[in-house]
Amino acid sequence: MNTLSMAYKNLRKNLSFYALYLFSVSLVITVFFAFTSFSMNQVMLEVISTNGRVESMCSIISVFLMIFVVFYMGYSNRFFLKRRTKELGIYTLLGYRKTTILSLLTFENIFICFGAFLVGLVLGAIAHKGIVIGITALLKLSVDSAKIQFFHISAIRKTAGFILLVVFVLCMSNGRFLFKTSLMELIRFEKKAEKNMKFHRLPAFLGFIMILSGYGLALDIFRGGKSIWFLVGFYPIGMLTAMLIVIGTVFFISSFLPYVMKKSKSHKAAFYTKTKIITTPNFIYRIRSNARTLIMLTLLSAATLSISAIMALTVYYPIAAVSRIAPSEMEFRIEKEAQIEAAKKIIGRYAAEDVTFTRTDIYKVTSSASSLPMEYSVGTAKGDSDNEKILREAGFECISRTSYMTLLREQGKEEVSDSIPKLGSGECILVKYKPNSDNSLEVDSIYPLAIGDKEVPFTVKAVTLDNPFAFANSIGTLIVSDDIYKQLEATGTPVTSLMSINGKAIEDNEELYEEMRDMLAESPYLQGQSHRINELFSLNSSTFLLIGFLVVLFFIATGSILYFNNMSAVSDTKSDYQILIKMGYTNGCIKKIIRRQVLDFFAIPFAMGTLDCIFATVVFKAGLMQNLLGSTLVQYVPVVLAIALTAFIYLIYYFLTIRTCCKIVCKK
């Protein structure tokens, strides 16, 4: 019988054994082919790409994808190779040369990869079509779907060539394993664990301390300008924090957890139960003999959770911040009185009613205070041709309390308008651009304001992040009483007029926005909430999509490795479970032991990965994202959802693992 025929019969007779391997490889190839098809889709790239940014990202992520696929398939192949070492040893005893055995393994990999390739082509093509339809609908693009091929020939060739490369790498890996392993080692390999790591108390507690130190450094970023992150530098401290957590994780898993479990055995009443007397020693043995695998899974879980959580936060936060960047549906600076009637005429063609037009005159005042908030002078003069380099003229921009309340109600912020305090003649409310880095407030600060030919001291009664105007038109807005506002009108203070337009009828109307832009001669002072959101989706959707490919691969790899590792451990100790059954352990009790054993190896990577994810997200938001919304727990809802999604996927893999392991051990 030739090796090709043997490979085919082995796969056919052990299809259930290889089913998950085939399924996992098919998923990986599906993601790879969908990504490759998208990166070669010139129709879409021409629409969404700007200055070659998407093409560059595709090239970078393509390299990561290929490395990841090779790593994942290499791990999966090595797992199944180790599961068959006894069989391979028997082949050697029967007189088969190692070159023949290597040919057998190579043909099996070719069959599996070919089957996965066919499945991946179909599912990847469907996924690619779905991605194109989703982006087209999300960004409201005009794309001729007939020009987009279902099967992109270049993508098929690239995927096929890459799979051949993977098969070659697997062949080299299998050959290295076979020729380095003796006959006796092949036969007894299933009983051989990873090199046992000796327990030492010092690295155990060192790991615990290093992890706590890393988390402490992460929390230090909340000290703002006094934080070591800002004094030393974000990236050096970031690298130090990551190193502390990674090295601490190594010591924590390899030494600290076994130490804790060993100490737990001293509590006799808790230890000598029919399940713990089995699960605790088993846990100590597995965690020390498979420490490298568990460390890798923990770091992989941390990376998966962190990437998905940061991506969710990066999607959500800019959209949520639009409510401050451009609070009105449309807003523009009135430079000519004729613009008001022109704007009403244009909007009248799209919406006859339920639209409000509010004109607000903003009076610019200066202050001689020695200490002024950053809003007093921050910003650029966008009306100038060199607008990004010339600073805005310093000063406070005053509006009346009545105007402020009216604008908030029209913008749908009734609950905010109802909580605005009443103002006396010497009181004001300061609108902050963003919270101070040291969390200080300007409440009770006194700023002398130049009104006419005299200076009047004003006390800040409250500060707020609910700005009524887009930042392009007003920063450093000061709300004063109606009486003071009338005095400003009478003194000839410099004034700027803004038109705020709101209403459900004009929301999310890009055609209307373009007409307004043409009417205003592309004025930089035209701002719109829906337009800004659409712009964010357009600029970032491709980035999130490409990162999403990597996240999916992380999910597949982490879950599959957990499945393979636990299935291998239960299979290796099948005889031990048979002894327990002969001692009187029921199937229910055996299943309980298996559930506990598997749960530990799912829970540790997920729990430690979740902690790493939380602190990584905190550092990312505080250090790399502009704080326009303040510090509220609501902003972390996307992170919670990302962690919940990961937990759900882990649960699917967990129950699948439990089902397979119980079928291996328990009687039907």
Side-chain angles (χ1 to χ4, degrees):
M1 184 184 296
N2 60 44
T3 52
L4 184 63
S5 177
M6 285 178 63
Y8 173 73
K9 289 185 177 180
N10 276 347
L11 291 175
R12 189 183 65 184
K13 292 180 179 179
N14 298 284
L15 189 59
S16 60
F17 181 68
Y18 287 100
L20 185 69
Y21 182 36
L22 178 63
F23 175 72
S24 299
V25 174
S26 298
L27 280 179
V28 170
I29 293 176
T30 296
V31 176
F32 183 83
F33 181 67
F35 172 79
T36 304
S37 298
F38 179 80
S39 65
M40 294 182 173
N41 187 341
Q42 294 301 320
V43 177
M44 286 297 296
L45 292 182
E46 287 175 3
V47 175
I48 66 174
S49 181
T50 56
N51 301 322
R53 185 175 63 90
V54 176
E55 289 88 337
S56 300
M57 287 196 63
C58 285
S59 300
I60 295 170
I61 292 179
S62 180
V63 175
F64 280 103
L65 274 176
M66 288 190 284
I67 294 172
F68 199 90
V69 171
V70 171
F71 161 76
Y72 172 72
M73 292 185 67
Y75 180 90
S76 303
N77 173 74
R78 181 54 67 94
F79 168 81
F80 282 98
L81 183 64
K82 290 179 179 180
R83 300 297 305 136
R84 299 180 59 200
T85 49
K86 189 173 182 179
E87 175 194 339
L88 301 180
I90 293 173
Y91 287 150
T92 307
L93 287 173
L94 291 173
Y96 285 88
R97 295 180 179 180
K98 288 190 176 181
T99 52
T100 305
I101 297 173
L102 179 59
S103 299
L104 173 66
L105 295 174
T106 303
F107 280 128
E108 289 179 358
N109 273 324
I110 290 173
F111 281 131
I112 290 172
C113 288
F114 180 72
F117 175 67
L118 294 179
V119 175
L121 285 186
V122 176
L123 295 180
I126 295 171
H128 175 231
K129 273 287 186 182
I131 291 167
V132 170
I133 293 170
I135 291 179
T136 303
L138 182 66
L139 303 182
K140 300 176 182 177
L141 303 175
S142 178
V143 176
D144 186 0
S145 58
K147 293 182 179 179
I148 299 175
Q149 301 172 352
F150 188 75
F151 290 109
H152 199 289
I153 303 302
S154 298
I156 293 175
R157 282 200 295 264
K158 181 178 178 179
T159 305
F162 177 64
I163 290 175
L164 287 175
L165 175 64
V166 171
V167 170
F168 176 75
V169 171
L170 297 181
C171 179
M172 293 295 100
S173 176
N174 290 341
R176 183 173 177 272
F177 174 80
L178 286 173
F179 288 102
K180 282 184 64 178
T181 310
S182 66
L183 174 61
M184 289 303 297
E185 287 175 330
L186 278 175
I187 295 173
R188 296 185 57 82
F189 199 91
E190 289 184 3
K191 296 296 181 182
K192 181 182 177 183
E194 293 184 23
K195 185 178 179 181
N196 199 0
M197 302 181 73
K198 294 182 180 180
F199 167 73
H200 298 287
R201 185 171 297 180
L202 178 61
F205 287 100
L206 184 62
F208 186 72
I209 291 169
M210 290 179 78
I211 290 177
L212 289 182
S213 300
Y215 291 159
L217 274 177
L219 291 175
D220 184 67
I221 202 167
F222 284 122
R223 291 200 300 140
K226 298 178 181 178
S227 169
I228 190 172
W229 290 82
F230 296 97
L231 296 175
V232 176
F234 183 86
Y235 291 103
I237 298 302
M239 290 296 295
L240 175 62
T241 303
M243 286 177 60
L244 283 172
I245 292 175
V246 170
I247 298 172
T249 299
V250 173
F251 288 145
F252 184 85
I253 291 176
S254 61
S255 299
F256 186 78
L257 286 180
Y259 173 78
V260 171
M261 296 305 295
K262 186 178 178 181
K263 287 296 182 182
S264 71
K265 292 168 66 175
S266 60
H267 299 284
K268 306 298 182 183
F271 176 69
Y272 287 103
T273 65
K274 62 181 179 179
T275 55
K276 276 199 172 182
I277 200 172
I278 304 296
T279 56
T280 301
N282 183 278
F283 175 81
I284 295 172
Y285 171 76
R286 281 194 69 197
I287 205 171
R288 295 182 66 184
S289 63
N290 292 275
R292 293 185 184 90
T293 301
L294 191 58
I295 290 166
M296 178 192 69
L297 286 168
T298 301
L299 297 178
L300 198 59
S301 296
T304 304
L305 284 157
S306 298
I307 291 173
S308 56
I310 288 172
M311 188 175 73
L313 186 63
T314 309
V315 172
Y316 162 81
Y317 194 85
I319 295 172
V322 169
S323 63
R324 295 206 62 217
I325 296 170
S328 290
E329 188 56 34
M330 282 191 194
E331 177 184 299
F332 64 89
R333 186 173 294 186
I334 303 170
E335 295 173 340
K336 299 176 183 178
E337 291 298 322
Q339 291 175 339
I340 299 174
E341 289 304 317
K344 290 181 178 180
K345 185 177 179 181
I346 292 172
I347 291 173
R349 293 202 300 268
Y350 292 89
E353 53 186 22
D354 297 329
V355 178
T356 60
F357 295 84
T358 303
R359 174 173 179 159
T360 309
D361 293 329
I362 303 174
Y363 291 93
K364 190 91 167 195
V365 297
T366 57
S367 175
S368 61
S370 57
S371 178
L372 289 162
M374 56 90 69
E375 288 80 9
Y376 185 79
S377 57
V378 72
T380 55
K382 293 199 173 183
D384 196 280
S385 58
D386 198 18
N387 59 73
E388 294 304 322
K389 296 180 181 178
I390 300 176
L391 292 178
R392 154 182 162 267
E393 184 181 346
F396 288 117
E397 292 155 349
C398 298
I399 64 171
S400 69
R401 180 178 180 275
T402 299
S403 298
Y404 181 55
M405 292 180 65
T406 301
L407 284 167
L408 288 179
R409 291 193 182 106
E410 290 175 357
Q411 292 163 1
K413 302 174 184 175
E414 289 82 1
E415 71 285 353
V416 178
S417 66
D418 292 340
S419 62
I420 298 171
K422 292 183 178 180
L423 298 174
S425 59
E427 296 177 329
C428 63
I429 299 172
L430 174 64
V431 178
K432 296 289 293 177
Y433 174 68
K434 62 180 181 178
N436 294 334
S437 58
D438 57 359
N439 295 320
S440 62
L441 295 174
E442 282 83 1
V443 176
D444 295 330
S445 297
I446 299 175
Y447 302 126
L449 301 182
I451 300 178
D453 56 357
K454 60 180 179 179
E455 280 197 336
V456 180
F458 278 80
T459 302
V460 178
K461 188 171 184 178
V463 295
T464 180
L465 293 178
D466 295 299
N467 49 299
F469 306 115
F471 291 134
N473 290 315
S474 176
I475 300 179
T477 309
L478 209 63
I479 295 101
V480 297
S481 66
D482 292 359
D483 291 337
I484 294 295
Y485 185 76
K486 289 177 182 178
Q487 290 182 33
L488 290 171
E489 287 180 316
T491 55
T493 304
V495 63
T496 301
S497 298
L498 294 181
M499 176 62 70
S500 302
I501 308 169
N502 290 283
K504 294 285 184 183
I506 60 171
E507 287 183 3
D508 200 21
N509 192 327
E510 283 297 304
E511 187 178 351
L512 168 60
Y513 188 87
E514 289 301 320
E515 279 202 47
M516 290 289 292
R517 184 190 301 215
D518 292 340
M519 184 270 291
L520 294 168
E522 299 187 358
S523 168
Y525 299 109
L526 173 64
Q527 298 291 312
Q529 189 172 107
S530 295
H531 171 73
R532 193 62 181 251
I533 291 173
N534 290 331
E535 194 174 50
L536 286 170
F537 274 121
S538 178
L539 291 173
N540 299 314
S541 59
S542 56
T543 304
F544 299 137
L545 174 67
L546 298 179
I547 296 174
F549 280 112
L550 287 179
V551 173
V552 171
L553 274 183
F554 272 107
F555 279 137
I556 295 171
T558 308
S560 299
I561 292 171
L562 281 166
Y563 175 91
F564 292 148
N565 186 269
N566 282 282
M567 190 178 77
S568 176
V570 171
S571 298
D572 289 344
T573 56
K574 183 178 178 180
S575 58
D576 297 338
Y577 285 105
Q578 297 301 324
I579 293 172
L580 291 177
I581 291 172
K582 291 177 181 179
M583 291 173 59
Y585 278 73
T586 63
N587 277 353
C589 192
I590 294 294
K591 289 179 180 178
K592 184 177 179 181
I593 292 172
I594 291 174
R595 282 196 296 269
R596 176 62 188 273
Q597 177 180 331
V598 173
L599 179 63
D600 290 335
F601 269 66
F602 270 83
I604 291 171
F606 180 76
M608 295 189 70
T610 301
L611 279 175
D612 292 347
C613 164
I614 291 170
F615 286 98
T617 306
V618 165
V619 170
F620 176 81
K621 181 182 178 300
L624 298 178
M625 296 185 76
Q626 197 173 27
N627 187 19
L628 294 178
L629 300 178
S631 299
T632 59
L633 293 177
V634 176
Q635 296 170 37
Y636 291 96
V637 169
V639 176
V640 174
L641 292 176
I643 293 174
L645 176 62
T646 306
F648 177 73
I649 294 172
Y650 268 55
L651 278 175
I652 293 174
Y653 273 105
Y654 171 72
F655 287 118
L656 181 62
T657 305
I658 291 293
R659 183 174 177 274
T660 304
C661 292
C662 289
K663 284 177 68 176
I664 292 172
V665 173
C666 298
K667 296 178 181 179
K668 293 183 179 179

